[in-house]
Amino acid sequence: MTHPDLQLEVHDDVAVIRLTRGAKRNALSDGLILALRNTFETLPASVRAAVIDGEGPHFCAGLDLSELKERDAGQGMQHSRMWHAALNCVQYGPVPVIAALHGAVVGGGLELASACHIRVADASTFYALPEGSRGIFVGGGGSVRIPKLIGVARMTDMMLTGRVYNAEDGERAGFAQYLVPEGTAFDKAFELAKRVAQNAPLTNYALMHALPRIAEQPADQGYFTEALIAGIAQSAPEAKTRLRDFLEGRAEKVKKA
Ligand code: 1HE
């Protein structure tokens, strides 16, 4: 499914998915959300990692407010479920996704960013949840994912008071794992994606699909699930080759940070 506001480029094993609705600050229309879902569902098999970024001065202004028409409760619920399905395709899709953030990362834009596996923010980035002021609530999975990044107390404060986090405070709070100079988020995200793409696919799969589920399980079940996925990962031929490479001095050592 192609969409005029979404661009997919494949650079060898890295896909670059770009919101191209800069004039509207990459506001997410229903069509764009569906196209995003379709893009993650149909990524070429050669792709091992993805970068998502936004054209223009802002990453994403969230829900397209011009589409927020009169909906009854059932339609509102279905609309939110549509977002859930799409952002689940980002989080639990085929490959790790790295968000390159700049400018506004607000509302549904922050929900999209929080569905990604790594967030790289440049110094122009700011984070907000204006839903509180617009008389609505998050509906794109934000109440599940955002507290996992910054905690329930910070999210509550943001929505109650309209608090905006700048890039530096945002990184400290846990929104982003990397903070880079203005204008360099995409380059850093792409560099990380190239690195991520080198991992054994089963390791990446375990990190994307097993780790978040294990983290939600009671400890005893978590240990058991961990043992299962650890056994599966190390039985892959690629794992055996990589271990042999290390033991025979061919693999990179861990270097001091
Ligand atoms: C939009 C949207 C939008 C901009 N829907 N059209 N999100 C918000 O409440 C954030 C609303 N947006 C803003 O606060 C600002 O636009 C920004 C801080 C992101 C950017 O400011 P700025 O000065 O660079 O741009 P602008 O002049 O405000 O916007 C440029 C155009 O984009 C303008 O349209 P134009 O036809 O007058 O040029 C804006 O109307 C349009 N635009 N943001 C529609 N969001 C699953 S539930 C999720 C719930 C939410 O996400 S609620 C939060 C929605």
Side-chain angles (χ1 to χ4, degrees):
M1 185 202 288
T2 57
H3 191 280
D5 300 329
L6 195 66
Q7 190 184 74
L8 168 68
E9 283 171 8
V10 176
H11 301 268
D12 301 320
D13 46 10
V14 174
V16 174
I17 295 151
R18 182 167 293 129
L19 307 171
T20 56
R21 201 186 180 202
K24 294 287 181 186
R25 305 321 186 223
N26 298 316
L28 297 165
S29 63
D30 288 359
L32 186 44
I33 282 291
L34 289 172
L36 198 62
R37 172 180 177 167
N38 184 259
T39 300
F40 279 92
E41 283 177 334
T42 58
L43 277 179
S46 58
V47 167
R48 295 285 191 90
V51 173
I52 183 158
D53 82 343
E55 174 196 274
H58 301 285
F59 173 71
C60 179
L63 178 72
D64 184 339
L65 292 170
S66 71
E67 284 187 354
L68 197 62
K69 47 188 182 288
E70 283 299 314
R71 290 194 189 107
D72 65 23
Q75 290 163 332
M77 184 190 70
Q78 294 299 350
H79 183 259
S80 168
R81 296 299 286 158
M82 179 188 80
W83 271 66
H84 292 165
L87 296 193
N88 274 347
C89 287
V90 177
Q91 181 177 4
Y92 296 117
V95 295
V97 185
I98 297 148
L101 305 178
H102 68 288
V105 181
V106 305
L110 180 51
E111 294 184 292
L112 169 60
S114 66
C116 299
H117 303 92
I118 300 178
R119 283 156 294 280
V120 178
D122 86 2
S124 73
T125 307
F126 57 97
Y127 309 89
L129 289 169
E131 288 89 338
S133 337
R134 311 260 180 255
I136 55 176
F137 191 64
V138 285
S143 54
V144 172
R145 294 192 180 99
I146 297 170
K148 292 200 167 84
L149 301 180
I150 61 166
V152 172
R154 286 197 184 93
M155 179 166 171
T156 306
D157 175 33
M158 288 173 82
M159 292 197 69
L160 286 176
T161 67
R163 180 171 179 170
V164 179
Y165 277 81
N166 66 24
E168 216 170 288
D169 293 341
E171 190 228 14
R172 222 173 290 135
F175 285 111
Q177 294 101 319
Y178 295 85
L179 176 60
V180 296
E182 187 167 346
T184 66
F186 177 79
D187 289 348
K188 181 68 181 177
F190 192 81
E191 175 197 318
L192 292 170
K194 291 300 283 178
R195 170 69 184 77
V196 166
Q198 302 308 307
N199 293 337
L202 212 46
T203 301
N204 283 350
Y205 184 87
L207 285 166
M208 295 172 63
H209 292 263
L211 178 61
R213 292 183 167 99
I214 292 170
E216 306 253 297
Q217 289 180 335
D220 183 55
Q221 290 174 26
Y223 293 134
F224 190 73
T225 312
E226 180 186 274
L228 292 177
I229 196 78
I232 292 170
Q234 63 186 247
S235 73
E238 187 155 358
K240 296 194 190 311
T241 309
R242 285 171 183 242
L243 293 175
R244 208 175 309 114
D245 284 349
F246 175 76
L247 294 172
E248 293 170 10
R250 288 187 297 274
E252 237 182 72
K253 287 189 196 178
V254 177
K255 294 190 197 83
K256 189 170 179 289

